[in-house]
Amino acid sequence: MIRAPALRGSEKSSEGRGRPLAILARPWVFAPIIGTLAGLSMAIRLFLPGPIGMADNGDGPSRMCGLNLVAHIPKGSVRWFKFLNPRYGYGPPSACNATNTYTSSEQLLMHIAKPLSHYWGYPGAFDLRALGLLFCIIVAFVFTVFAAALRGHLIVRLLICAALFVVVGDTAFAGYAISPYSELAGLVGILFVAAGAMHFGGGTRAKQGGLLLFTAGALLAVTSKTQAVTLIVPFAALLLVVRVPLSGLPLSRLHGRFAPRLLPAVAALLIAASGVFTMQTQMKAFEPINRTEMIFDGVLGHSSDPSQTAKDLGLPQHFVQYKGFDWWAAHAPERDPQFSEIANRMTYGNIATYLVEHPGVATSITLGGMDAFAAAHPDYLGSYPAWTGHPAGTLESRLTLFSDFARASGRALVPGLLALGVFGFFWYRRLRDNQRRAAFVAVMVCMIGVVAAQFASAVYGEAIEDTKHLVYGIFAGGLAIVLTAAAAFCCPPGAEQGPGSQNTPLEAPVPCTVAAIG
């Protein structure tokens, strides 16, 4: 019998040193470690040396009325724009009603955070800092799911996860976690969508769990605000190419070509229904606002010949004086005695017709939107509570790598991201032997779809606060860049097969040659 030669001392010590690293590289070990580190890092980023968030711009009362809460303004602070006021108390019975309550999935997050506010010892009926701590827990969960989908060299996976944190923790997004806005629900929803869809390239259980998380995230995002309804398009488009086996489910007896498409189709219908619900529950007072602002602040504001533009839009000449004014201005167009006579001209059909016939104005609006997109973070909302001692309106800058990249890219950022989406579309069509990479590329293209949908709805449908209203698209653009890197470097062929391969608890071994999506 031939015996293997005994290992020499140096070889034994080398094997011993490599064993902990090999264990750490296993997805079921790597993922929870990454999630824990991400959650703790986000807590440090939001709360040390003092809490940061976003001051109220006036939208807060309609959002917080869902919990019958009104802001507590401490000594030395002001209510709007300058300081974060995280503490809330119960309002009088007449303070909140259906006419001034903005329905949003953000209320779900606040309902979850509300008991945590008392548990963590914050004063008042509710404190926005509890929402920030809930966000840290969510970040830990999402990073765990994200990391579980990655394969390849340990160092590369660490770098990809670090890049994801650079985006998620950036100043452009992190402040929404401690704010009275509905954007946090949308950002969390988009995170869920991306992390869940990454598992469409795994085994049966991974696909089923990924679809569940994807659907929950899509519902959260679409119902976060009326402007997010357009996200139905990229989310549904991704679901059209997804196949999720029914194995292990009550419907597993169903067979045929349509069976693997049943669950994605049901998810798409739920997401579309949530969009209808969001539109029907919109505050009636808000319905004419965006259209009016788009005409006076958007179209007239970008026109070189306002008089002719007013004529083309069917407006009396004296309405030219409202060029550049929004709904909330002291000299606003809706305050004009004759506004009721031209209210029927405040339609998106009228706006679209004008922009098609006047490409110069449309181009000017587009370029302005590109500037707003590249700005990444609104510069008029303070980040700190008054008691931290920072001057009024101070903006935090603890992590700005992605924001700096966006500003340096300028107007090239939006077309660059759209070009990345086109590249991803053709890349996906060429993928036949690596289902994990195909899933990563598909969700990257979906994120670029979010960029396009949000750019169109915010730039051509709202006209004010473009950077804040573009935050979903900006966030998705950052995620798309990270996903591109993950697809390129964290999906080695054959990673799911062969002896010694490691699969997460979500996955069953599936050969990479089996087409998973599309």
Side-chain angles (χ1 to χ4, degrees), residues 435-462:
Q435 63 170 343
R436 189 175 298 275
R437 178 168 289 151
F440 286 15
V441 174
V443 70
M444 178 269 281
V445 175
C446 177
M447 291 297 105
I448 299 300
V450 172
V451 172
Q454 280 296 282
F455 189 86
S457 61
V459 174
Y460 306 113
E462 299 179 27

Side-chain angles (χ1 to χ4, degrees), residues 328-385:
W328 314 103
H331 189 58
E334 77 276 7
R335 302 177 190 274
D336 191 286
Q338 296 185 32
F339 182 77
S340 60
E341 300 175 12
I342 55 98
N344 62 343
R345 305 300 299 165
M346 307 294 111
T347 66
Y348 284 124
N350 193 22
I351 295 168
T353 300
Y354 178 85
L355 293 180
V356 168
E357 295 174 350
H358 299 81
V361 176
T363 300
S364 178
I365 292 174
T366 302
L367 293 176
M370 290 180 179
D371 291 335
F373 194 99
H377 185 265
D379 59 2
Y380 51 87
L381 297 173
S383 302
Y384 296 92

Side-chain angles (χ1 to χ4, degrees), residues 117-147:
S117 181
H118 297 288
Y119 178 79
W120 283 318
Y122 289 124
F126 179 69
D127 196 294
L128 292 173
R129 286 172 288 181
L131 199 59
L133 287 169
L134 176 62
F135 179 64
C136 295
I137 296 173
I138 292 172
V139 165
F141 169 73
V142 170
F143 270 72
T144 300
V145 176
F146 176 88

Side-chain angles (χ1 to χ4, degrees), residues 126-439:
F126 179 69
D127 196 294
L128 292 173
R129 286 172 288 181
L131 199 59
L133 287 169
L134 176 62
F135 179 64
C136 295
I137 296 173
I138 292 172
V139 165
F141 169 73
V142 170
F143 270 72
T144 300
V145 176
F146 176 88
L150 302 179
R151 297 294 184 270
H153 198 283
L154 175 63
I155 299 301
V156 176
R157 283 185 279 159
L158 287 170
L159 291 174
I160 295 296
C161 291
L164 179 64
F165 188 84
V166 165
V167 173
V168 176
D170 192 88
T171 295
F173 316 115
Y176 287 100
I178 307 179
S179 76
Y181 300 117
S182 56
E183 276 80 1
L184 177 62
L187 296 174
V188 169
I190 293 171
L191 264 180
F192 282 1
V193 163
M198 290 175 69
H199 288 272
F200 290 156
T204 296
R205 284 176 294 172
K207 290 183 176 72
Q208 292 170 352
L211 180 62
L212 182 62
L213 185 59
F214 178 98
T215 305
L219 293 173
L220 198 63
V222 169
T223 57
S224 63
K225 54 190 296 188
T226 306
Q227 295 88 340
V229 170
T230 55
L231 299 185
I232 293 173
V233 177
F235 294 161
L238 178 57
L239 290 173
L240 288 176
V241 299
V242 172
R243 295 179 182 178
V244 178
L246 299 175
S247 304
L249 299 176
L251 299 172
S252 58
R253 294 182 179 180
L254 295 177
H255 299 285
R257 292 184 59 186
F258 180 73
R261 297 186 181 275
L262 177 60
L263 292 180
V266 171
L269 289 174
L270 286 174
I271 294 166
S274 73
V276 175
F277 171 80
T278 301
M279 295 299 295
Q280 289 181 340
T281 57
Q282 179 188 20
M283 289 175 59
K284 298 302 180 183
F286 280 5
E287 289 184 358
I289 294 177
N290 289 339
R291 301 190 296 268
T292 301
E293 290 179 332
M294 186 62 202
I295 284 181
F296 288 97
D297 196 13
V299 176
L300 280 171
H302 286 268
S303 173
S304 59
D305 188 356
S307 296
Q308 183 61 44
T309 297
K311 181 179 178 181
D312 294 338
L313 291 170
L315 306 178
Q317 280 299 304
H318 81 274
F319 273 91
V320 173
Q321 65 181 305
Y322 302 113
K323 170 186 176 181
F325 287 92
D326 60 44
W327 186 274
W328 314 103
H331 189 58
E334 77 276 7
R335 302 177 190 274
D336 191 286
Q338 296 185 32
F339 182 77
S340 60
E341 300 175 12
I342 55 98
N344 62 343
R345 305 300 299 165
M346 307 294 111
T347 66
Y348 284 124
N350 193 22
I351 295 168
T353 300
Y354 178 85
L355 293 180
V356 168
E357 295 174 350
H358 299 81
V361 176
T363 300
S364 178
I365 292 174
T366 302
L367 293 176
M370 290 180 179
D371 291 335
F373 194 99
H377 185 265
D379 59 2
Y380 51 87
L381 297 173
S383 302
Y384 296 92
W387 47 263
T388 60
H390 288 85
T394 301
L395 304 179
E396 66 92 7
S397 56
R398 297 176 185 176
L399 181 57
T400 62
L401 292 178
F402 178 73
S403 296
D404 293 340
F405 165 76
R407 286 188 284 270
S409 300
R411 289 179 176 175
L413 182 57
V414 172
L417 289 172
L418 296 179
L420 179 63
V422 174
F423 167 76
F425 175 78
F426 288 103
W427 188 11
Y428 170 77
R429 289 173 60 88
R430 294 172 61 89
L431 290 171
R432 294 293 183 267
D433 61 345
N434 192 325
Q435 63 170 343
R436 189 175 298 275
R437 178 168 289 151

